[in-house]
Amino acid sequence: MQLVDSFLKKYEIYILIILVIIAGFFYFYKINQKPFVDYDEATYADVITDTIQSGDLLTLKRSGEAWFEKPPLYFWMAMLSVKIFGENEYAMRSPSIVFSILTLLFTYLIIKRFSGNVIITIFAFLILLFSPPYYYYSRELRLDSGVVMSIMISLYSVIMGWEKKLFLLLTFPFIAIGFLFKSVIALLSLPIIFLFCLIYKQWNWIKAKYLWLGFFVGGIIVL
């Protein structure tokens, strides 16, 4: 067992790259052959198409009218994807897949930070990767993937900021980015961060100047 653990630690970076490649394969596989599954996906696709056709990319459009039901960040990224890959399911769903893979990556990093065990961390990555609800929504045109990714990165920045305060610069900016994906849902970062700090009794980061500098940056992003 010690030999296996030693091997995994030595080649961890390569193992992580392989895990990300596996995730990309499973999530992108035949994604273009899967039609939009419900009203939300169809609506978001309409917004992406109509906004591109309007020529005004700053204001989301649907059926020629301004559309303000959701924040714009996912749609902007999907529009860029459409410009690169063409107007199809693959292009519109690609941002969701990328965000979901990044969530897997930061899940890996957080669990590794607390467990220090590569085997446990790999299993955690694979469990989330093959979790049916996570798998299905990751392969669809959903805003959830972006906000979940933002929550995970903001949490990771605080955990790392317990020892290296510079990481705290990312906390509020990524909460703000999550807000641009799915509005107030991004604020779930705060009780999650609080719970982690309560369990591990870590509070010194709250007074760090980098955290509040990041708060200022996050405010600018939202505005």
Side-chain angles (χ1 to χ4, degrees):
M1 193 66 181
Q2 288 182 343
L3 288 175
V4 173
D5 191 52
S6 177
F7 174 85
L8 292 176
K9 286 182 178 178
K10 183 177 180 180
Y11 296 102
E12 182 180 5
I13 184 63
Y14 302 106
I15 293 169
L16 183 55
I17 291 171
I18 292 171
L19 288 172
V20 169
I21 292 172
I22 291 171
F25 173 78
F26 277 98
Y27 285 168
F28 278 106
Y29 183 68
K30 291 186 177 180
I31 197 65
N32 211 33
Q33 298 178 20
K34 178 183 176 183
F36 293 126
V37 299
D38 59 16
Y39 176 82
D40 285 343
E41 271 206 301
T43 298
Y44 299 159
D46 281 345
V47 172
I48 293 166
T49 301
D50 291 357
T51 304
I52 292 174
Q53 291 175 350
S54 75
D56 177 11
L57 302 185
L58 292 179
T59 305
L60 300 180
K61 300 284 196 311
R62 188 183 184 207
S63 301
E65 301 292 333
W67 188 81
F68 298 112
E69 292 185 22
K70 300 292 181 182
L73 188 52
Y74 186 98
F75 299 93
W76 287 339
M77 293 187 171
M79 284 181 240
L80 176 61
S81 182
V82 167
K83 288 289 186 180
I84 297 171
F85 300 110
E87 190 177 308
N88 52 56
E89 289 88 347
Y90 177 90
M92 295 181 185
R93 287 168 169 160
S94 288
S96 181
I97 294 174
V98 171
F99 301 146
S100 294
I101 292 174
L102 286 172
T103 298
L104 285 165
L105 176 61
F106 279 93
T107 300
Y108 181 102
L109 294 174
I110 290 171
I111 294 175
K112 177 65 188 304
R113 165 67 176 76
F114 287 113
S115 71
N117 187 305
V118 180
I119 295 176
I120 290 174
T121 308
I122 290 172
F123 271 105
F125 184 101
L126 293 174
I127 288 169
L128 182 57
L129 171 63
F130 295 115
S131 169
Y134 190 79
Y135 173 81
Y136 287 119
Y137 98 71
S138 296
R139 286 168 46 86
E140 295 173 359
L141 202 176
R142 304 290 178 192
L143 312 184
D144 307 78
S145 55
V147 73
V148 171
M149 175 201 69
S150 300
I151 290 171
M152 291 300 293
I153 296 177
S154 65
L155 173 61
Y156 178 75
S157 71
V158 169
I159 291 169
M160 294 302 293
W162 293 346
E163 298 174 359
K164 300 177 181 178
K165 298 296 188 291
L166 187 61
F167 277 92
L168 297 171
L169 272 173
L170 301 176
T171 305
F172 282 111
F174 269 95
I175 292 175
I177 289 170
F179 188 86
L180 293 182
F181 278 119
K182 205 169 182 184
S183 191
V184 296
I185 299 299
L187 297 180
L188 283 174
S189 298
L190 299 177
I192 293 171
I193 289 169
F194 176 82
L195 183 60
F196 267 77
C197 293
L198 184 64
I199 292 171
Y200 291 97
K201 299 178 181 178
Q202 294 282 352
W203 303 104
N204 62 335
W205 59 277
I206 293 178
K207 296 180 180 180
K209 63 180 180 180
Y210 293 114
L211 177 71
W212 299 106
L213 180 58
F215 180 82
F216 176 74
V217 175
I220 292 175
I221 290 171
V222 172
L223 290 176

